[in-house]
Amino acid sequence: MALIVQKFGGTSVGSIERIEQVADKVKKFREQGTDLVVVLSAMSGETNRLIDLAKQITDKPEPRELDVIVSTGEQVTIGLLTMALMKRGVPAVSYTGNQVRILTDSAHNKARILQIDDQKIRADLKAGRVVVVAGFQGVDEHGNITTLGRGGSDTTGVALAAALKADECQIYTDVDGVYTTDPRVVPQAQRLEKITFEEMLEMASLGSKVLQIRSVEFAGKYNVPLRVLHSFKEGPGTLITIDEEESMEQPIISGIAFNRDEAKLTIRGVPDTPGVAFKILGPISAANIEVDMIVQNVSHDNTTDFTFTVHRNEYEKALSVLENTAREIGAREVVGDTKIAKVSIVGVGMRSHAGVASRMFEALAKESINIQMISTSEIKVSVVIEEKYLELAVRALHTAFELDAPARQGE
Amino acid sequence: MALIVQKFGGTSVGSIERIEQVADKVKKFREQGTDLVVVLSAMSGETNRLIDLAKQITDKPEPRELDVIVSTGEQVTIGLLTMALMKRGVPAVSYTGNQVRILTDSAHNKARILQIDDQKIRADLKAGRVVVVAGFQGVDEHGNITTLGRGGSDTTGVALAAALKADECQIYTDVDGVYTTDPRVVPQAQRLEKITFEEMLEMASLGSKVLQIRSVEFAGKYNVPLRVLHSFKEGPGTLITIDEEESMEQPIISGIAFNRDEAKLTIRGVPDTPGVAFKILGPISAANIEVDMIVQNVSHDNTTDFTFTVHRNEYEKALSVLENTAREIGAREVVGDTKIAKVSIVGVGMRSHAGVASRMFEALAKESINIQMISTSEIKVSVVIEEKYLELAVRALHTAFELDAPARQGE
């Protein structure tokens, strides 16, 4: 019998009415003869309400106690859904992270799953029960309640699917799949039938916030087929899986990702000596600032220019660190720009196709969009451009890579 | 070092502000060098909110799942109080019923505590931490979350005090102690310094709803000194303990209890044969109706009258059962009355004092209050009277037994 793990997020269980709808959906799957494990988030708003209670007491809530408090959100929804299932004549049982037992490390508020005991769940499935599990939470070796951090319910779903060797892990959300790009920017954007884990990681980290990155990594590592679906609309969603066959029909580019969260910093006229990159980025990293793109060009007259991007929120902090560094190493000047956007084309197909980058640059040139930085990986080419050209660039690339065409056959 | 278990109810932790006040109080005790275990209820209203969520799904919530849901209320308050203590520099740690481990039977929604593992708590106390425990909840041998039923947090407090051999279990409430009678009826009512478990049981079951009866039974059984105090007012409260010395000064009567929750049913002209009481009460009990007072008088002409009281809510149901019985056993008639009240005098002192009952009857006679039923136990005399005389009767008895006098010395 097929075993599916289904994960429903906070909006999907945001009211009693919605919980009843989820129960209807689960019942339908059950009647098709599928074994089911259902992972739930807290009702939308509940986790924030609980955090707010804690924040009223202290700005820096004790991490262990915060986990004790916020983990109650999922505990309520699993009880409610289980009742709704039993009302429908579907045998069901709920488990907290501790009851399953989902063993994590002791890093409260951002714990990592170490091991899942599948005994209870297997026995319940065998007895014909739907097993409803609280997402986002676990227990450490000392019996302390832990949480996996925001969005951790996706990770719970994938980890359970891996432990139970489920046939599929279905993540129900408020979108009906992964799109070639944001449909609000490109109305012709299309739902992808299929995407690889690698592509999904690039899409997710570039701003297509459908799935939590960690859960995709996890799914890739344990090869759990992951499907993104809409909670309340019918449809096949998008399957995220390994790249089984590099068939001829495979598109070169799966999607266009973008974000406007970043800012760019450049240090000019840096004496080009060994170790200079470390001298520049060491203090940035010591200040706990995460760096995304890094570009260093060939040098002129024994000096070089060094550019990198950081999250826009950390621009001021990074600027001040960099100005100190500039004085220390005798660089000429520091300049920055917060009005930038990053656009990326993503696709495993580009591995075997030459000229993808040049096709990208050509499309941008046609629209007279100047490229400020370029960075490439095996399955991605990213460029930084002036923010005001973002929508224009995305649309141009979506057309250039033939993503506008009528429904693609992904499978 | 003295060890005290302190229990705070829902009103005492009903808001962040109140939780902060409780933290102040706990800190003060801690600074006096007392080891402390604090037991908490859910924030007032929270348990009802959670039950209401479940009731929106089904009229008959699955008991196991209801426990999963409602147990979250206490889990939130223990986290919040622990944070508030740590903010004040008081080392503290929270435990759910499962974490402690408070082992119960599997009777969901009304579980009974079987055993408490004191290891973790003792280790924490030794390390100087205040231990904050979720009241009202436990875990059965299979790891299912259980709750003890309404008011169960008192029982958790007493059970922990017993397991830890605490010096005292303090129950913080919204009254500053146990009174000789309800001060709303008798303004001269006085707080008792001390009362025995037996007296408290009689007072509680008769309507002085300060403590949950089960917790008093439990405290008596394990001889845990219990103290009722006001959460936010200073004062010694009332100590509930065993009857150590029957000293001369001990008052004959500790208090006057009363209630108007009952209704009276009489079956007249019952053929007086062996087994008739069972024939009458058997069907009542089979209908799950609880009976309080039972009076049967000597017979006339081989028939007898049989009277008993039930909760007023069950009067109609009891009446219809009794009418059936009357037809079957050939009784003359069934009559009932819902406009009654029960007044009781309670005191271990009456054991060694003759004439307590007659003094009670005399006081009522002086006010021309007719007595409809009488029932006595070792430490209690109860009478049923017409409801409209209730206040008058309570005041007359309070005066007759010299409870109005200036502050008594109970210790």
Side-chain angles (χ1 to χ4, degrees):
Chain A
M1 191 182 273
L3 168 59
I4 294 181
V5 174
Q6 302 187 315
K7 183 260 166 177
F8 293 89
T11 326
S12 310
V13 293
S15 67
I16 294 295
E17 199 193 344
R18 294 221 155 169
I19 290 173
E20 301 268 19
Q21 282 179 274
V22 168
D24 285 337
K25 198 172 197 83
V26 170
K27 187 186 179 194
K28 217 154 88 185
F29 268 93
R30 190 72 198 83
E31 281 169 351
Q32 288 161 10
T34 316
D35 275 346
L36 289 174
V37 174
V38 180
V39 177
L40 300 182
S41 299
M43 294 172 89
S44 53
E46 180 63 6
T47 303
N48 284 337
R49 184 186 75 87
L50 293 166
I51 291 174
D52 183 57
L53 280 176
K55 288 266 168 87
Q56 283 180 52
I57 286 182
T58 167
D59 287 344
K60 293 191 178 164
E62 194 62 25
R64 179 191 184 278
E65 301 304 328
L66 191 61
D67 280 351
V68 168
I69 294 170
V70 297
S71 62
T72 63
E74 286 74 22
Q75 193 169 323
V76 171
T77 47
I78 58 171
L80 293 174
L81 180 67
T82 303
M83 284 177 184
L85 286 170
M86 294 178 93
K87 184 173 77 170
R88 285 162 174 77
V90 179
V93 64
S94 75
Y95 290 126
T96 62
N98 171 61
Q99 287 177 318
V100 165
R101 168 184 197 231
I102 298 177
L103 182 72
T104 71
D105 59 24
S106 301
H108 286 290
N109 311 165
K110 48 175 195 287
R112 290 195 163 250
I113 296 176
L114 300 177
Q115 203 188 315
I116 292 183
D117 184 348
D118 63 357
Q119 277 198 300
K120 272 192 192 171
I121 295 181
R122 285 202 188 277
D124 284 311
L125 291 174
K126 210 172 166 185
R129 282 187 276 270
V130 171
V131 180
V132 183
V133 177
F136 171 70
Q137 59 180 250
V139 64
D140 75 3
E141 55 176 334
H142 308 293
N144 296 307
I145 296 168
T146 55
T147 67
L148 311 180
R150 282 283 163 134
S153 291
D154 286 1
T155 307
T156 302
V158 172
L160 275 168
L164 296 163
K165 298 182 181 57
D167 296 284
E168 199 169 284
C169 178
Q170 302 180 337
I171 308 281
Y172 287 87
T173 67
D174 53 0
V175 295
D176 66 352
V178 180
Y179 274 69
T180 49
T181 194
D182 188 336
R184 286 169 301 188
V185 172
V186 183
Q188 299 93 330
Q190 298 169 69
R191 182 178 52 76
L192 294 160
E193 291 288 332
K194 223 171 170 178
I195 186 172
T196 69
F197 292 117
E198 292 163 289
E199 287 170 333
M200 189 62 206
L201 279 178
E202 297 288 5
M203 296 288 274
S205 62
L206 291 169
S208 306
K209 292 176 190 87
V210 177
L211 286 173
Q212 209 214 359
I213 293 180
R214 250 170 81 195
S215 68
V216 178
E217 284 172 359
F218 216 95
K221 190 170 163 193
Y222 293 97
N223 193 16
V224 175
L226 203 58
R227 190 182 289 275
V228 175
L229 302 127
H230 196 285
S231 302
F232 304 115
K233 284 183 206 156
E234 294 298 317
T238 297
L239 181 66
I240 306 157
T241 183
I242 53 166
D243 183 21
E244 279 164 347
E245 76 291 1
E246 290 203 40
S247 67
M248 289 305 290
E249 301 99 317
Q250 192 157 25
I252 299 168
I253 295 301
S254 289
I256 317 284
F258 58 85
N259 81 45
R260 24 189 144 210
D261 295 340
E262 296 185 22
K264 185 180 72 165
L265 293 123
T266 302
I267 178 165
R268 282 194 217 273
V270 180
D272 193 8
T273 54
V276 71
F278 174 72
K279 276 185 195 150
I280 293 167
L281 288 181
I284 294 288
S285 135
N288 269 321
I289 300 169
E290 271 192 58
V291 171
D292 178 30
M293 289 171 80
I294 303 170
V295 173
Q296 185 189 351
N297 248 338
V298 290
S299 59
H300 290 279
D301 310 325
N302 292 325
T303 69
T304 186
D305 298 342
F306 194 98
T307 303
F308 57 92
T309 63
V310 299
H311 194 281
R312 222 173 260 189
N313 292 343
E314 307 205 290
Y315 173 71
E316 294 297 336
K317 197 169 150 196
L319 190 64
S320 123
V321 171
L322 196 59
E323 276 166 350
N324 269 336
T325 306
R327 273 191 296 277
E328 278 169 25
I329 64 176
R332 198 168 64 241
E333 65 171 339
V334 170
V335 293
D337 186 356
T338 60
K339 302 245 178 261
I340 60 162
K342 185 165 75 166
V343 181
S344 307
I345 55 174
V346 176
V348 289
M350 73 172 70
R351 279 180 189 146
S352 49
H353 286 76
V356 171
S358 65
R359 193 157 148 197
M360 180 187 198
F361 305 152
E362 182 192 12
L364 296 174
K366 262 193 194 160
E367 303 291 342
S368 306
I369 299 168
N370 190 39
I371 298 170
Q372 303 181 358
M373 287 173 83
I374 299 171
S375 163
T376 61
S377 79
E378 271 219 32
I379 64 162
K380 176 188 76 171
V381 181
S382 301
V383 297
V384 166
I385 57 173
E386 211 178 326
E387 187 182 6
K388 67 178 176 186
Y389 295 124
L390 175 63
E391 288 83 359
L392 179 63
V394 172
R395 270 182 232 121
L397 292 170
H398 203 264
T399 304
F401 285 99
E402 293 166 15
L403 295 170
D404 297 339
R408 283 168 44 219
Q409 299 302 317
E411 297 186 298
Chain B
M1 192 182 274
L3 168 60
I4 294 181
V5 174
Q6 302 188 315
K7 182 257 165 179
F8 293 90
T11 326
S12 309
V13 293
S15 66
I16 294 296
E17 198 193 346
R18 295 221 153 168
I19 289 173
E20 301 267 18
Q21 282 179 273
V22 168
D24 285 337
K25 198 172 196 82
V26 170
K27 187 187 182 194
K28 218 154 86 184
F29 270 91
R30 191 70 198 86
E31 281 169 351
Q32 286 160 14
T34 315
D35 275 347
L36 289 174
V37 174
V38 180
V39 176
L40 299 183
S41 299
M43 295 172 90
S44 53
E46 180 64 5
T47 304
N48 284 336
R49 184 185 75 86
L50 293 166
I51 289 174
D52 183 57
L53 280 176
K55 288 268 168 86
Q56 283 180 53
I57 286 182
T58 166
D59 287 343
K60 293 190 178 165
E62 193 63 24
R64 180 192 184 276
E65 301 303 329
L66 190 61
D67 280 352
V68 168
I69 294 170
V70 297
S71 62
T72 61
E74 287 74 23
Q75 193 169 323
V76 171
T77 48
I78 58 171
L80 294 174
L81 180 67
T82 303
M83 284 176 185
L85 287 170
M86 295 179 93
K87 184 174 73 171
R88 284 163 175 76
V90 179
V93 64
S94 75
Y95 290 127
T96 63
N98 171 62
Q99 287 177 317
V100 163
R101 171 185 194 228
I102 298 179
L103 183 71
T104 72
D105 59 23
S106 300
H108 286 290
N109 310 165
K110 48 176 196 286
R112 290 194 165 253
I113 295 175
L114 300 177
Q115 204 187 312
I116 291 182
D117 184 348
D118 63 357
Q119 277 197 300
K120 271 192 193 172
I121 296 180
R122 285 203 189 278
D124 285 310
L125 291 174
K126 209 170 165 185
R129 282 187 276 267
V130 171
V131 180
V132 183
V133 177
F136 171 70
Q137 60 181 249
V139 64
D140 75 2
E141 56 175 334
H142 308 294
N144 296 306
I145 296 169
T146 55
T147 67
L148 311 179
R150 282 285 162 130
S153 291
D154 286 1
T155 308
T156 303
V158 172
L160 275 168
L164 296 163
K165 297 183 181 54
D167 296 283
E168 201 169 283
C169 177
Q170 302 181 337
I171 309 280
Y172 287 87
T173 67
D174 51 2
V175 296
D176 66 352
V178 180
Y179 273 69
T180 50
T181 195
D182 187 336
R184 284 169 303 185
V185 172
V186 183
Q188 299 91 329
Q190 297 169 68
R191 182 178 52 76
L192 293 160
E193 291 286 333
K194 221 173 170 175
I195 186 172
T196 69
F197 292 118
E198 292 163 289
E199 289 170 333
M200 189 62 205
L201 278 178
E202 297 287 4
M203 296 287 275
S205 62
L206 291 169
S208 306
K209 295 178 188 83
V210 177
L211 285 174
Q212 209 215 359
I213 293 181
R214 250 169 83 195
S215 68
V216 179
E217 284 172 359
F218 216 94
K221 189 169 164 191
Y222 293 97
N223 195 14
V224 175
L226 203 59
R227 192 182 288 277
V228 175
L229 301 126
H230 196 288
S231 302
F232 304 115
K233 285 182 206 156
E234 294 296 319
T238 297
L239 182 65
I240 306 158
T241 183
I242 53 165
D243 183 20
E244 276 165 350
E245 77 290 1
E246 290 203 36
S247 67
M248 292 301 291
E249 301 100 316
Q250 191 157 27
I252 300 167
I253 295 301
S254 289
I256 318 283
F258 58 85
N259 79 45
R260 23 189 146 209
D261 295 340
E262 297 187 20
K264 185 180 72 165
L265 294 123
T266 301
I267 177 164
R268 280 195 218 275
V270 179
D272 192 8
T273 54
V276 71
F278 174 71
K279 276 185 195 148
I280 294 167
L281 290 180
I284 296 288
S285 133
N288 270 319
I289 300 168
E290 270 193 57
V291 170
D292 179 28
M293 289 172 81
I294 304 170
V295 173
Q296 185 188 351
N297 248 338
V298 291
S299 59
H300 289 281
D301 310 326
N302 291 324
T303 67
T304 188
D305 298 343
F306 192 98
T307 303
F308 59 90
T309 63
V310 298
H311 195 280
R312 220 174 262 189
N313 292 343
E314 308 206 288
Y315 173 71
E316 295 296 338
K317 196 170 152 196
L319 191 65
S320 122
V321 171
L322 196 58
E323 278 165 350
N324 269 337
T325 306
R327 273 192 296 279
E328 278 168 26
I329 64 175
R332 199 169 62 240
E333 64 169 341
V334 170
V335 293
D337 187 356
T338 59
K339 301 247 178 260
I340 60 163
K342 186 166 72 165
V343 180
S344 307
I345 55 174
V346 176
V348 289
M350 71 170 74
R351 276 181 192 147
S352 49
H353 286 76
V356 171
S358 64
R359 192 160 150 197
M360 180 188 199
F361 305 152
E362 183 192 11
L364 296 174
K366 261 193 195 160
E367 303 292 343
S368 305
I369 299 169
N370 189 39
I371 297 170
Q372 302 182 0
M373 288 172 83
I374 299 171
S375 163
T376 60
S377 79
E378 272 218 29
I379 64 162
K380 175 188 77 170
V381 181
S382 301
V383 297
V384 166
I385 59 172
E386 213 178 324
E387 188 181 5
K388 67 178 176 186
Y389 295 124
L390 175 63
E391 288 83 0
L392 180 61
V394 173
R395 272 183 229 118
L397 292 170
H398 203 265
T399 305
F401 286 100
E402 292 165 16
L403 296 169
D404 296 340
R408 285 167 44 217
Q409 300 301 317
E411 297 187 300

